[in-house]
Amino acid sequence: MFFVRVSYYIRKALSNLRAYPLVTGLATATVAFCVFIFCAYLLFLINVTGLLTGVGKTVHLAVYLSDDIDEKQIEEVKDAIISIKEVSEVTFTSKEEALAFLKESFGEQTGVLEGIEDNPLPASFEVALVEGGQTPENTKLVADKIGRMKGVDDVVYPREWLTRFNEFVRFVRAAGVAVGLILSLAAVAVIANTFKLIILSRRQEIEIMKLVGATNSLIKMPVLIEGMLVGLFGSAAALLGLVFLFSYFMDHFYETVSLFVGPVVPAFFSPVMIAAVIGASTLLGIVGSLLSFGRLLKV
Amino acid sequence: MIRLHHVYKNYGGGTDALIDITFSVARGEFIFLTGPSGAGKTTLLKLLYLAEHPTKGQVFINGVNVSTIRERKIPYLRRAVGVVFQDFKLLNSVTVSENIAFPLEVMGMPRRDINKQVMRVLKFVGLQDKYDAKPLELSGGEQQRVAIARAVANEPPILIADEPTGNLDSELTMDIIRLMNYIHKRGATVIMATHNKDIVERFHKRLISLGRGRIVG
């Protein structure tokens, strides 16, 4: 009996898809459109936040050392800096290296440095912070800690820029979530209404089924399977479209865009993310079709 | 088999659609339900196939009190009642055989048995050649026969027909009545609403007459 029922549900769902090609086609296209818009936005957001995080990572602290400290003290300062948990990397630049770098950057005009007898440049450490640790508060904390160390003359970092940049990142994230929420709510509303359309097109059939003695589950199950298939194929079509668009972008526009944003390679969704989108859309199909019955089953 | 006890039905308006209806139908009876349009025939039949519930009074079908039945039990009681609707209520998007298969699928009958039974009832109503046609490709009389075939497909003990000859000419009307009579002779309890006096006079069956919601004869 169980297998008879299950095979009936599947057969009925498939025959419904055949019997109402326009409505189910329209529903699948609507789901595909909504999922496409939402995913395209999500992909954009993920890549923009990725890009901003990349930019944030470039924030370094320059730690200038006093001229009167010896190598042993330099090592001690280095160890002390590394022991700070927000610090990921410390690179040392000696006075000589600093001068050589300066000369190199002057290029042909290196003559302007010829009159200098003593090397006025200090030795320094370039300190990189751990990922997620580049907030203005964190950076200031680390800078203050290092500034108090013996043998450290000065700590320099782009304080003003970092504050503004972080505000900008926060704004982009908040706006991203807000727009994402609005988009997903709109998508859910449109998809729910589409399922209502499917159910309404079956109104007469549902009434007849009830009158010949169909139980509610017998009426609901095939529609639930239909909703599931519409959600599944709709989201799969949307993701395929997005893959196509993404590779088109990479082939034709990425080179131009990378001139402005640097060598950050845009990422597509991970397999887990793809599975999540398809799963969510399928679930939405099931829930949407179930909720759309409303009072129709009260015959 | 069917018993109505002081049944009233009000759709929420001022007047009652049915007033103090009491009668019983024994197993295997054939009853004509007559009366002018608006007398309450369709409402009474709706109570019998559970599309409506009485406002007051009790309806018993197969010994089950319809007023106190649990909602999830209703489908199973409905399967004991085959209904021929005045407007046929056929699904135009599927074929004749798929329409007839409906109540059999609902019962959970295996596909192979369904096909056999559908062909059997199609033969019974004389439409075996039309199994693959869509209802709109058929004449009115043929559509009515499909509706009857669907109503008797699962061989229910009770058959209810609401003006099954309402839109048909006199020759087709007689065909349909003969078919109903045949179903009755095979053991079904038949209740048929009609306002066609010729039919009532020609076939001598028990008669319940309704007038303005009351039994008048």
Side-chain angles (χ1 to χ4, degrees):
Chain A
M1 188 68 181
F2 174 74
F3 290 109
V4 173
R5 275 277 177 262
V6 172
S7 82
Y8 166 76
Y9 295 149
I10 296 171
R11 231 174 340 98
K12 185 78 184 162
L14 295 178
S15 83
N16 277 347
L17 290 177
R18 273 199 307 272
Y20 304 91
L22 191 70
V23 180
T24 41
L26 201 70
T28 313
T30 309
V31 170
F33 179 73
C34 291
V35 173
F36 180 84
I37 296 286
F38 180 72
C39 285
Y41 172 73
L42 199 64
L43 196 60
F44 172 75
L45 190 66
I46 286 174
N47 279 298
V48 165
T49 9
L51 184 74
L52 291 179
T53 314
V55 172
K57 272 185 201 162
T58 59
V59 173
H60 289 129
L61 288 90
V63 178
Y64 296 109
L65 303 172
S66 320
D67 277 350
D68 53 0
I69 77 172
D70 58 28
E71 275 186 27
K72 192 177 167 241
Q73 281 173 308
I74 290 174
E75 273 308 307
E76 280 169 11
V77 171
K78 187 177 179 182
D79 291 344
I81 293 175
I82 283 181
S83 69
I84 300 172
K85 71 175 192 315
E86 287 89 354
V87 171
S88 70
E89 211 182 332
V90 180
T91 320
F92 178 68
T93 307
S94 65
K95 287 171 74 73
E96 294 71 31
E97 282 168 339
L99 188 63
F101 180 73
L102 188 68
K103 278 183 179 165
E104 194 184 310
S105 58
F106 271 100
E108 283 178 8
Q109 281 99 34
T110 189
V112 294
L113 297 171
E114 269 172 15
I116 300 167
E117 284 175 15
D118 283 341
N119 180 358
L121 298 176
S124 66
F125 284 119
E126 191 180 90
V127 177
L129 299 182
V130 292
E131 205 175 325
Q134 298 105 335
T135 60
E137 298 79 24
N138 247 338
T139 316
K140 185 178 182 308
L141 209 73
V142 174
D144 289 349
K145 253 187 213 173
I146 299 174
R148 280 194 298 271
M149 287 175 191
K150 207 176 156 196
V152 171
D153 205 21
D154 197 8
V155 181
V156 176
Y157 67 97
R159 186 176 308 178
E160 186 72 7
W161 180 86
L162 194 63
T163 308
R164 284 195 187 168
F165 177 73
N166 268 278
E167 274 169 11
F168 177 66
V169 171
R170 260 205 295 273
F171 170 76
V172 169
R173 287 219 173 105
V177 169
V179 174
L181 266 177
I182 293 169
L183 259 182
S184 55
L185 281 179
V188 168
V190 170
I191 291 170
N193 274 314
T194 311
F195 282 112
K196 208 148 225 162
L197 195 71
I198 292 188
I199 305 291
L200 283 178
S201 73
R202 313 276 157 80
R203 198 170 37 192
Q204 197 197 6
E205 185 176 343
I206 290 169
E207 186 196 349
I208 295 170
M209 283 183 84
K210 289 286 289 182
L211 290 176
V212 298
T215 54
N216 283 352
S217 62
L218 203 73
I219 297 169
K220 279 180 174 176
M221 284 304 281
V223 179
L224 185 143
I225 294 173
E226 270 180 83
M228 198 176 86
L229 291 175
V230 166
L232 184 72
F233 288 120
S235 56
L239 286 171
L240 271 178
L242 204 58
V243 167
F244 176 76
L245 199 74
F246 185 76
S247 57
Y248 188 81
F249 168 81
M250 291 302 280
D251 289 348
H252 293 83
F253 300 106
Y254 172 61
E255 267 185 44
T256 322
V257 174
S258 67
L259 290 178
F260 297 99
V261 298
V264 180
V265 181
F268 196 71
F269 294 132
S270 65
V272 175
M273 192 75 183
I274 291 173
V277 167
I278 292 179
S281 171
T282 308
L283 194 71
L284 194 64
I286 294 172
V287 176
S289 53
L290 276 185
L291 291 180
S292 305
F293 275 102
R295 295 175 56 81
L296 264 182
L297 290 175
K298 297 249 174 223
V299 179
Chain B
M1 182 143 237
I2 295 170
R3 192 157 64 86
L4 280 82
H5 189 69
H6 300 295
V7 168
Y8 290 76
K9 178 66 190 176
N10 190 305
Y11 285 107
T15 52
D16 288 330
L18 291 175
I19 303 162
D20 198 19
I21 304 289
T22 299
F23 71 88
S24 300
V25 181
R27 190 179 299 275
E29 261 195 290
F30 191 125
I31 288 181
F32 280 129
L33 188 63
T34 63
S37 298
K41 300 191 294 291
T42 299
T43 299
L44 180 53
L45 294 184
K46 278 185 173 172
L47 293 179
L48 299 182
Y49 59 81
L50 289 88
E52 292 292 346
H53 290 283
T55 313
K56 219 161 81 178
Q58 286 162 325
V59 177
F60 294 89
I61 294 168
N62 263 351
V64 178
N65 188 342
V66 169
S67 315
T68 56
I69 191 173
R70 282 195 190 162
E71 198 170 334
R72 60 190 177 85
K73 295 269 181 199
I74 290 177
Y76 301 97
L77 193 58
R78 275 184 178 145
R79 292 176 197 177
V81 184
V83 187
V84 182
F85 300 95
Q86 191 172 7
D87 56 354
F88 313 148
K89 285 202 193 303
L90 296 176
L91 270 181
N92 296 325
S93 56
V94 298
T95 64
V96 164
S97 46
E98 282 170 313
N99 265 288
I100 297 171
F102 243 38
L104 304 173
E105 287 171 344
V106 158
M107 284 170 66
M109 192 184 265
R111 190 74 228 166
R112 206 178 333 150
D113 298 347
I114 289 178
N115 292 341
K116 273 190 205 157
Q117 181 66 2
V118 166
M119 286 319 286
R120 201 178 297 148
V121 287
L122 270 176
K123 203 169 166 192
F124 174 64
V125 297
L127 288 175
Q128 60 269 45
D129 302 335
K130 306 280 187 184
Y131 72 96
D132 211 18
K134 295 273 176 73
L136 290 181
E137 295 163 16
L138 305 179
S139 68
E142 285 171 331
Q143 287 187 39
Q144 188 60 287
R145 279 190 278 163
V146 175
I148 292 172
R150 184 183 62 196
V152 300
N154 63 344
E155 298 175 355
I158 300 168
L159 179 66
I160 288 170
D162 190 3
E163 303 272 8
T165 60
N167 307 313
L168 307 178
D169 63 35
S170 58
E171 199 176 327
L172 285 173
T173 296
M174 284 306 141
D175 273 356
I176 296 294
I177 300 298
R178 278 188 209 106
L179 194 56
M180 301 289 288
N181 208 17
Y182 183 65
I183 292 163
H184 169 238
K185 289 225 165 78
R186 285 167 58 124
T189 304
V190 179
I191 300 177
M192 181 176 144
T194 180
H195 58 252
N196 187 330
K197 284 195 177 114
D198 289 349
I199 300 173
V200 177
E201 281 163 13
R202 191 153 164 188
F203 295 87
H204 302 284
K205 305 287 183 190
R206 183 180 159 197
L207 190 66
I208 294 175
S209 294
L210 286 179
R212 294 189 177 180
R214 292 175 191 276
I215 294 182
V216 292

